[in-house]
Amino acid sequence: MYVEAANALARHGYATRDLGFIGAGAQSVCYGTREVAVLLSRSDGGDEAADLTGHVVPGSDAPTTYNNYAVLQWLTVRAADAGVRTPRILAIGDDPRPHALIQRANGTPAAAHPQAADNAATWFGLLGAEIRKANLVETTGFGLFVPDGSGGYRGHFASWAEYLNRWLGVYLCVGQSRPEDEKVLDLFLAQDIVTERDLAAVASKVREAQEWPVRSVLTHYDNLLNNLVVDAGRITVLDWGLSLAGIGIQQELIKLFQTEPTSMESPRVAAFLRSYGLSEPECVEAIEGGKLMLVLDGLAMSYGWADDPDRLDGIRAWLRTVKRICGTW
């Protein structure tokens, strides 16, 4: 892909000297110079689609968003304009494959930093303040971004209740259900980890969540050390590829809760929430909401893996997380 990266730079008027490989993720391969980075899609622009959490599920009838750099450019401009320390996408294109030119973030990737173990909580505190700025950006609708008909984007679902109704129907087969969804639910129950009673408790919590007083806001979602660059005590937030029109802090905790305890006993969780600007009671409330969002995310992720036998261990790990959280309700 080196040649494709060089061609993309030249096409947009940037020099190619010092161009080198930076890294690769699930969706993009990244090359860069000292000035600018080039994201090259792993996809050739096909019709993969994403589920309710932003994870790719081939054959889904959800809107296609895989490597949609036009959406990323639109939302990162809004995040940067709101004061979030994040690189702006400077240009996008489709030839020879979808690509984006993005400002180069200076510093050391946080996950690879030699002081990561000692400083991670501090960096998550800085991240909480940045995510707060992102969550002040108002959006419309809920879920993955789709064109709004006026040159911008909105969430795929008109309301939070509609978003959750769709989740209940697909992942818990509440209401009219499709055979393929029932098959996945049977797979979950066959693991002898979660029970029908557990899943009924999840459904009850989701119905309660439909009544939450929520606003549609720009939600980064992917809050991991892998998506931070550290430079002289400051951080830069990367990778908006899983962002959505969401509800803010409860969904911002999902990725953090995948690696940290779901409580203020975790220094990283505590630093993130306090820097976000929450009081102690608000932190407790956010954590409870975040636990439910983690369950939703885990079941959705497991659904996407159901046809892959190699993913069964991952599904079982998610189901154990669901079981553990259900035990706290």
Side-chain angles (χ1 to χ4, degrees), residues 275-312:
S275 295
Y276 186 91
L278 300 184
S279 66
E280 292 301 311
E282 288 172 334
C283 289
V284 173
E285 183 179 1
I287 287 171
E288 287 305 307
K291 287 162 62 175
L292 177 59
M293 294 299 105
L294 178 65
V295 167
L296 269 60
D297 193 76
L299 291 176
M301 179 74 83
S302 299
Y303 180 100
W305 291 346
D307 290 331
D308 185 350
D310 293 337
R311 293 285 197 172
L312 186 58

Side-chain angles (χ1 to χ4, degrees), residues 1-10 16 19 30-32 38 40 96 101:
M1 284 189 174
Y2 176 90
V3 173
E4 293 177 338
N7 288 341
L9 281 171
T16 60
L19 178 65
C30 186
Y31 291 82
V38 185
L40 294 169
L101 271 63

Side-chain angles (χ1 to χ4, degrees), residues 15-321:
T16 60
R17 61 180 177 276
D18 302 320
L19 178 65
F21 177 75
I22 295 177
Q27 297 190 33
S28 300
V29 176
C30 186
Y31 291 82
T33 67
R34 295 179 182 179
E35 179 184 12
V36 66
V38 185
L39 298 177
L40 294 169
S41 174
R42 289 186 178 274
S43 165
D44 61 2
D47 61 357
E48 295 93 340
D51 68 5
L52 296 181
T53 64
H55 305 293
V56 173
V57 181
S60 167
D61 61 357
T64 300
T65 58
Y66 190 66
N67 285 316
N68 192 327
Y69 294 130
V71 175
L72 291 180
Q73 185 176 42
W74 176 84
L75 65 86
T76 52
V77 164
R78 277 146 188 79
D81 286 349
V84 180
R85 287 183 55 82
T86 193
R88 294 176 183 266
I89 292 180
L90 305 171
I92 59 175
D94 293 316
D95 186 19
R97 65 174 58 244
H99 64 268
L101 271 63
I102 188 169
Q103 292 174 326
R104 187 71 186 266
N106 295 317
T108 304
H113 198 287
Q115 297 179 334
D118 295 330
N119 292 340
T122 298
W123 296 337
F124 271 101
L126 296 173
L127 177 60
E130 297 303 312
I131 294 302
R132 172 67 174 179
K133 299 172 191 174
N135 290 170
L136 293 175
V137 177
E138 294 186 1
T139 52
T140 57
F142 294 88
L144 299 176
F145 288 107
V146 296
D148 65 4
S150 60
Y153 297 88
R154 60 172 177 79
H156 178 61
F157 297 93
S159 69
W160 177 238
E162 181 183 342
Y163 177 92
L164 291 180
N165 273 335
R166 177 64 181 278
W167 189 95
L168 285 167
V170 172
Y171 304 119
L172 291 185
C173 298
V174 174
Q176 294 183 342
S177 57
R178 303 177 302 179
E180 57 264 38
D181 300 332
E182 294 175 356
K183 180 181 177 181
V184 174
L185 189 59
D186 289 343
L187 172 68
F188 291 169
L189 292 170
Q191 304 311 306
D192 292 326
I193 297 172
V194 297
T195 65
E196 291 186 357
R197 183 175 181 178
D198 294 326
L199 299 182
V202 174
S204 178
K205 286 289 186 181
V206 172
R207 291 189 183 97
E208 291 177 12
Q210 289 180 313
E211 303 301 321
W212 289 354
V214 299
R215 294 185 305 112
S216 174
V217 299
L218 177 56
T219 303
H220 180 263
Y221 170 87
D222 205 5
N223 297 309
L224 301 169
L225 282 183
N226 288 342
N227 293 330
L228 298 182
V229 170
V230 181
D231 183 34
R234 299 188 299 178
I235 64 162
T236 300
V237 182
L238 306 179
D239 199 349
W240 297 79
L242 296 180
S243 300
L244 67 156
I247 61 171
I249 189 61
Q250 297 94 333
Q251 289 175 311
E252 299 289 13
L253 288 169
I254 290 172
K255 287 294 188 180
L256 187 52
F257 281 172
Q258 289 181 18
T259 59
E260 290 294 311
T262 55
S263 75
M264 294 291 281
E265 293 180 4
S266 163
R268 299 183 186 187
V269 172
F272 183 85
L273 290 173
R274 286 170 179 152
S275 295
Y276 186 91
L278 300 184
S279 66
E280 292 301 311
E282 288 172 334
C283 289
V284 173
E285 183 179 1
I287 287 171
E288 287 305 307
K291 287 162 62 175
L292 177 59
M293 294 299 105
L294 178 65
V295 167
L296 269 60
D297 193 76
L299 291 176
M301 179 74 83
S302 299
Y303 180 100
W305 291 346
D307 290 331
D308 185 350
D310 293 337
R311 293 285 197 172
L312 186 58
D313 286 344
I315 291 173
R316 292 175 62 86
W318 268 117
L319 294 178
R320 284 191 288 270
T321 296

